[in-house]
Amino acid sequence: MKILLVIRKDCKYSQKAYQFIKKFNYQVDVVYSSHRNQAMPSKLRTWKGDYLFSLFNYYIFPKSMIKNIDFPINFHPSTPDHPGSGMVNWSLYYYDKHFGSTAHLINEKIDNGKILRVKRFEIKENDSIESLITKNKKNCLNLFFEIVDQLLNKKVSIEEMIKNSSNEKWLGKARKIKEIDDISKINLDITSVELERRIKAFHTSQNPLSLYLHGNKFILDKS
């Protein structure tokens, strides 16, 4: 059996995934991803084999690549309610009760393939962007453990997983980063309720909310 693991560079959760999958003693090729819009290496584009496992990865796989893999699987760090980018942000913005991770087959669209399993946990009232990201990295890794063990060790079929998750559906099209950028720009007529909502869901020190006035940009400082 030939396996391709595509994971994030300098990520402790990705390394735990690699150490786990090595225990099964199959041939495992590893490719690391480090940032958005990173050029895909040629060896990745031409890879052929049985399984592709994508975890915390930035690459978007072309149709020409995934057609050469029997079972290309992605671990999306969100429930099917939030395909695409900004999953944690939208979950907080819409006051979701639960968050989680989704294992699904990869097709030519982003976060659109048949769902294998969704692993959820409750969102607490005091959860923030940072706390949800940390919780869900652990949650997504545990989903990876479960799926890989069932496929490689317990020999559960992909078809059975799809059947068991037939009630799970993607909600709408995958969101883009631009939607996060747009909602992070504040207008002067914003209500206090909406401002607090956006602060909780979108504001971080690395990506602060901003306001543009007479050609000047003002950055929110919550310190």
Side-chain angles (χ1 to χ4, degrees), residues 1-5 21 47-54 61 65-75 104-107 114 116 147-148 151-152 156-162:
M1 184 179 295
K2 193 176 178 184
I3 298 169
L4 173 62
L5 180 65
I21 205 169
W47 192 91
K48 297 180 181 181
D50 300 286
Y51 286 102
L52 158 64
F53 296 116
S54 169
F61 304 108
M65 174 190 170
I66 59 179
K67 72 178 183 179
N68 293 323
I69 302 169
D70 292 338
F71 301 110
I73 298 171
N74 181 53
F75 293 86
H104 66 95
L105 294 178
I106 301 171
N107 60 18
K114 292 181 178 179
L116 307 181
I147 294 294
V148 170
L151 289 174
L152 303 186
V156 177
S157 70
I158 292 288
E159 291 75 16
E160 185 176 348
M161 288 185 179
I162 293 172

Side-chain angles (χ1 to χ4, degrees), residues 186 195 199 203-205 208-211 218-223:
I186 303 303
L195 179 59
I199 289 172
H203 178 76
T204 65
S205 57
L209 297 185
S210 59
L211 181 147
F218 297 86
I219 301 296
L220 175 67
D221 183 359
K222 286 287 289 183
S223 61

Side-chain angles (χ1 to χ4, degrees), residues 28-214:
V28 179
D29 297 321
V30 183
V31 174
Y32 290 96
S33 167
S34 59
H35 56 82
R36 292 183 183 276
N37 302 317
Q38 181 180 2
M40 185 177 290
S42 57
K43 69 174 182 179
L44 185 55
R45 290 182 177 275
T46 58
W47 192 91
K48 297 180 181 181
D50 300 286
Y51 286 102
L52 158 64
F53 296 116
S54 169
L55 180 71
F56 308 129
N57 154 59
Y58 289 111
Y59 291 122
I60 297 176
F61 304 108
K63 184 178 180 179
S64 58
M65 174 190 170
I66 59 179
K67 72 178 183 179
N68 293 323
I69 302 169
D70 292 338
F71 301 110
I73 298 171
N74 181 53
F75 293 86
H76 177 58
S78 174
T79 63
D81 296 338
H82 303 291
S85 300
M87 304 80 63
V88 168
N89 308 94
W90 296 115
S91 188
L92 288 171
Y93 185 71
Y94 287 114
Y95 305 115
D96 289 351
K97 300 298 183 183
H98 295 86
F99 196 54
S101 307
T102 305
H104 66 95
L105 294 178
I106 301 171
N107 60 18
E108 65 274 12
K109 297 181 181 180
I110 296 174
D111 300 335
N112 177 266
K114 292 181 178 179
I115 294 172
L116 307 181
R117 184 172 302 163
V118 181
K119 190 175 182 66
R120 293 179 172 85
F121 60 90
E122 183 181 0
I123 297 177
K124 303 295 184 182
E125 187 174 345
N126 63 346
D127 268 322
S128 63
I129 296 172
E130 292 80 6
S131 68
L132 276 189
I133 288 175
T134 299
K135 287 181 180 179
N136 205 33
K137 283 182 178 179
K138 297 175 183 177
N139 181 72
C140 197
L141 179 62
N142 286 331
L143 178 60
F144 175 89
F145 291 159
E146 292 174 9
I147 294 294
V148 170
D149 181 64
Q150 291 202 344
L151 289 174
L152 303 186
N153 181 34
K154 297 177 181 175
K155 306 302 180 183
V156 177
S157 70
I158 292 288
E159 291 75 16
E160 185 176 348
M161 288 185 179
I162 293 172
K163 182 179 179 180
N164 290 339
S165 295
S166 59
N167 61 314
E168 302 283 4
K169 306 293 181 184
W170 293 106
L171 185 60
K173 295 181 180 180
R175 288 186 178 272
K176 299 180 179 180
I177 287 293
K178 184 180 183 301
E179 295 178 66
I180 300 290
D181 294 338
D182 290 343
I183 203 170
S184 296
K185 296 175 183 177
I186 303 303
N187 296 319
L188 287 175
D189 59 352
I190 192 170
T191 65
S192 59
V193 172
E194 176 64 15
L195 179 59
E196 287 303 317
R197 187 180 177 189
R198 293 196 198 182
I199 289 172
K200 182 174 178 64
F202 297 100
H203 178 76
T204 65
S205 57
Q206 293 79 23
N207 297 287
L209 297 185
S210 59
L211 181 147
Y212 291 83
L213 182 63
H214 302 309

